[in-house]
Amino acid sequence: MRISAVGTCLALVAAMCSAGVAAGSAQARPAGATSLYAPSALVLSVGKGEDPATATIQRAVVLRCRPTPYGDHPDPVAACAELAAVHGDFAAMTAAAEGVACTRIWDPVVVTADGVWEGRRVTFAQTFGNPCMLRGSDTAGVFAF
């Protein structure tokens, strides 16, 4: 009888210890954290004008890339993949694509991106000479909305 009481006591201690470990692991995550991924959420806009501060916004979308791509963007999977390829560096995507011919009509278009990419603050603005030059740039997929 004494042996079964000791066994029961050990079982209770083991159960309390495993419950304590579970409770301790639940407390390891910071309060309010809902994901192990750094946030990636951006507001993208396209506007008419030369200056991002005074341009008339024509379109804007929200793009979230972590933990899965989603948002108002028509193709969030492709846009997130393009951004991931340059580690969220929009400036690396401003080169003109090969083989694209545009007129030299001055009809400026401004694109902006504000938000967070993999946990770091992002603010980007670029002016293109006209909509064709925007479509012909490497940023075309991200700002195709």
Side-chain angles (χ1 to χ4, degrees):
M1 178 133 323
R2 195 176 249 266
I3 293 175
S4 69
V6 170
T8 303
C9 223
L10 288 174
L12 284 172
V13 169
M16 288 184 349
C17 285
S18 65
V21 168
S25 64
Q27 292 172 353
R29 181 181 287 180
T34 58
S35 174
L36 296 176
Y37 296 102
S40 291
L42 301 160
V43 175
L44 308 173
S45 71
V46 177
K48 286 293 237 180
E50 295 180 35
D51 183 5
T54 59
T56 302
I57 302 300
Q58 294 179 314
R59 306 179 296 281
V61 296
V62 173
L63 176 65
R64 292 185 175 101
C65 295
R66 296 288 185 158
T68 57
Y70 67 100
D72 300 320
H73 195 285
D75 193 354
V77 173
C80 289
E82 287 180 29
L83 285 169
V86 295
H87 307 289
D89 182 9
F90 283 87
M93 300 171 40
T94 59
E98 294 291 321
V100 176
C102 294
T103 63
R104 294 187 177 244
I105 296 172
W106 184 246
D107 184 18
V109 176
V110 174
V111 296
T112 64
D114 288 299
V116 178
W117 178 262
E118 295 184 351
R120 79 174 192 278
R121 180 82 172 97
V122 173
T123 300
F124 171 79
Q126 176 74 32
T127 303
F128 293 90
N130 57 47
C132 176
M133 295 174 89
L134 168 61
R135 287 189 303 272
S137 75
D138 290 338
T139 63
V142 173
F143 291 101
F145 52 86

